Amino acid sequence: MRFSLLRLLACFLLCFSTLSHAVFLDEIQVYDGEINEPGEFGLEIHANTTISGQTVASFPNQRISQGAVRITPEFSYGLTKTLEFGFYLPTIYTPQYGYESAGYKPRLKWLPIQNSDTQPWALGVNFEYSVLNTGMEDPRKGAEVRGIVAWKNNKWSLAFNPVIDAGRSDGHNSDWEFNYHTRAIRLVGDGGLITGYGLEFYQGQSAVNNGNPNSSPKQLFAIVEMQPRGAFFNGMNIHMGLGYGWDSGDQLTFKMIISPKL
């Protein structure tokens, strides 16, 4: 039985190529067990910039990552206790092309198992479809299915996202590809400015088309989360990270996610 299960898992992974197509890095985030309550609106502002990375386009008119600033508001709404709708409006600034709209991305999160005071696990899946403008990704349109496996108590928040995605446009649909993202945060509950710190790891996320299955792009981020005090911030959460990449991943990336309280 054990051999059969291992063989089944191996076959599943081999069904998906570890090659990566060029990715528009609007959102650098590991999904955990958070979900809006029914009827609740949410907003996250994703911002990141590549300090050292891609300097040569890997397809015609690509907005190269180095020196680019990407700002993406993400709107969300709780449909039911287990369903959440989200909508991204990514934008980008590059020295070559200036400030531009990058397209749009709707998503649907389903989280049937949610953590609580008596149960630490959360399990679900997020479905996303992207329609981006020329020069952002190749192919421009794509679909993503992201698993959500999360565990949380009063000291730790852990999350793992197995992801399969594929490009679906421009006459050259890509194969379904497998990659994964994971995160570990040590929670700080003393009422101070810092609320958590930890690490995130991303495999298969790159602005460069990568054709080498033995060197899929990788990035490791040191992250800190905080909740500033004062009336202006009004319960705002801020997530910041500095990432180092290798195997065609951008070498140095700074990211921030701002979650104002609505």
Side-chain angles (χ1 to χ4, degrees):
M1 177 64 72
R2 182 180 179 184
F3 173 76
S4 298
L5 289 175
L6 290 175
R7 186 167 59 180
L8 180 62
L9 177 61
C11 290
F12 171 78
L13 295 179
L14 287 173
C15 286
F16 302 104
S17 169
T18 58
L19 310 184
S20 64
H21 61 274
V23 174
F24 181 71
L25 303 172
D26 56 328
E27 179 195 29
I28 306 174
Q29 182 181 25
V30 179
Y31 284 31
D32 57 17
E34 297 295 323
I35 190 169
N36 290 358
E37 293 291 334
E40 178 186 8
F41 286 95
L43 171 65
E44 289 185 343
I45 301 171
H46 300 260
N48 67 76
T49 183
T50 303
I51 302 167
S52 176
Q54 178 199 23
T55 58
V56 178
S58 57
F59 60 88
N61 301 315
Q62 184 186 17
R63 278 52 171 169
I64 61 175
S65 65
Q66 181 164 305
V69 178
R70 298 163 288 267
I71 301 176
T72 301
E74 176 194 357
F75 305 94
S76 59
Y77 180 74
L79 298 172
T80 69
K81 186 68 176 176
T82 61
L83 283 175
E84 177 187 282
F85 175 76
F87 195 82
Y88 299 87
L89 287 172
T91 66
I92 184 173
Y93 170 83
T94 58
Q96 298 90 348
Y97 294 92
Y99 186 74
E100 306 172 89
S101 168
Y104 61 91
K105 295 183 176 184
R107 67 164 178 83
L108 184 67
K109 181 191 293 184
W110 179 51
L111 202 68
I113 299 176
Q114 301 174 23
N115 52 33
S116 65
D117 293 338
T118 59
Q119 191 282 116
W121 289 97
L123 298 172
V125 64
N126 186 78
F127 305 93
E128 181 179 292
Y129 183 70
S130 61
V131 180
L132 297 178
N133 298 332
T134 300
M136 305 301 165
E137 280 188 7
D138 184 35
R140 294 184 308 109
K141 300 177 183 179
E144 176 188 284
V145 181
R146 178 189 300 242
I148 302 169
V149 181
W151 187 93
K152 184 177 181 181
N153 65 10
N154 61 347
K155 293 184 178 180
W156 290 95
S157 176
L158 310 177
F160 175 69
N161 297 163
V163 180
I164 56 172
D165 60 12
R168 283 291 177 264
S169 67
D170 303 327
H172 49 99
N173 294 348
S174 67
D175 294 332
W176 286 96
E177 300 165 358
F178 173 79
N179 57 79
Y180 62 90
H181 312 151
T182 189
R183 187 194 73 190
I185 294 180
R186 179 68 166 90
L187 301 175
V188 180
D190 60 2
L193 172 65
I194 304 299
T195 59
Y197 57 89
L199 296 172
E200 291 180 348
F201 177 74
Y202 296 85
Q203 186 268 353
Q205 178 171 271
S206 175
V208 181
N209 280 311
N210 180 19
N212 186 348
N214 298 316
S215 62
S216 57
K218 304 168 184 68
Q219 284 185 307
L220 180 67
F221 280 82
I223 57 173
V224 62
E225 295 187 338
M226 60 185 67
Q227 193 171 70
R229 306 305 178 196
F232 172 79
F233 297 102
N234 187 31
M236 178 185 299
N237 293 301
I238 298 177
H239 167 111
M240 293 190 296
L242 185 64
Y244 172 75
W246 64 99
D247 289 343
S248 81
D250 284 327
Q251 287 82 23
L252 196 60
T253 302
F254 174 77
K255 68 161 182 163
M256 177 182 293
I257 303 173
I258 301 173
S259 304
K261 185 176 181 180
L262 300 183

